[in-house]
Amino acid sequence: MINNKVLEKITCILIYTIPWSNSLTFSNYLFNQFPSLKFLIIPAIPILLIENIIPFANIIIFLLIFSLIIRNYNVSYFLKFNALQSILITILLFIIGILFDIVLEPLNNYFILKFFCDFIFIVSLSIISFCMYQSLREKYADLPFISEAVKAQL
């Protein structure tokens, strides 16, 4: 039988695959230049499959996490914290994607677009990997602004 703490750690890591899959929208230029980095898609494959099969899967996943984990009184604070932090990272990546579409793509400058896409992809994967690592260690990943917003909501 799996220990409750182990199940909690696994759930935290699985929840962080959601922003991981959303960060892949910024990976095209980097994957074209370095095809060997395409292995970074592997952790996001289940989420990407769900998003392709089910219409409005992002909203459904968000509502499920919000109702089953964040607003559930039987779930530990650690799991709630990581779930809400994952959601906030996902929302932040979504907003950055919209800003890209509005501001950078109309400029049609390949080098600026490539630089910012690569930068955001690397930074987002670094943040998400850090959060996953801290979850394995049963520590809270303290991200400026995001963690403060999470603590204010919980």
Side-chain angles (χ1 to χ4, degrees):
M1 187 168 146
I2 296 178
N3 188 343
N4 208 12
K5 290 286 186 184
V6 173
L7 188 62
E8 195 172 85
K9 290 179 186 180
I10 292 170
T11 306
C12 288
I13 290 172
L14 290 177
I15 286 174
Y16 280 114
T17 60
I18 297 166
W20 188 292
S21 69
N22 289 339
S23 69
L24 292 174
T25 58
F26 301 103
S27 67
N28 293 337
Y29 298 107
L30 195 65
F31 286 168
N32 287 338
Q33 190 172 4
F34 302 104
S36 62
L37 290 178
K38 286 188 179 181
F39 74 91
L40 294 171
I41 296 173
I42 294 171
I45 288 175
I47 300 296
L48 294 173
L49 286 175
I50 291 170
E51 288 175 353
N52 286 331
I53 294 171
I54 302 172
F56 304 109
N58 286 335
I59 296 169
I60 294 169
I61 291 171
F62 167 76
L63 291 174
L64 284 173
I65 290 174
F66 196 76
S67 62
L68 295 177
I69 296 176
I70 296 172
R71 294 294 172 210
N72 188 345
Y73 294 107
N74 297 327
V75 176
S76 71
Y77 182 82
F78 180 72
L79 185 55
K80 288 180 184 183
F81 178 87
N82 284 298
L84 190 55
Q85 188 160 277
S86 165
I87 288 173
L88 287 180
I89 292 170
T90 303
I91 291 170
L92 186 64
L93 286 169
F94 179 74
I95 291 170
I96 290 171
I98 290 174
L99 289 175
F100 262 71
D101 292 342
I102 294 171
V103 177
L104 289 178
E105 284 195 17
L107 293 176
N108 254 351
N109 190 331
Y110 174 78
F111 294 109
I112 291 174
L113 191 63
K114 180 184 177 312
F115 170 76
F116 279 111
C117 279
D118 291 347
F119 177 76
I120 289 177
F121 178 65
I122 291 169
V123 168
S124 63
L125 281 190
S126 300
I127 289 170
I128 296 164
S129 298
F130 171 73
C131 291
M132 289 176 158
Y133 175 70
Q134 289 295 81
S135 295
L136 276 177
R137 295 180 56 213
E138 291 183 21
K139 306 251 184 216
Y140 293 96
D142 192 20
L143 304 173
F145 305 112
I146 296 175
S147 294
E148 294 168 14
V150 168
K151 289 174 187 172
Q153 290 297 315
L154 292 178

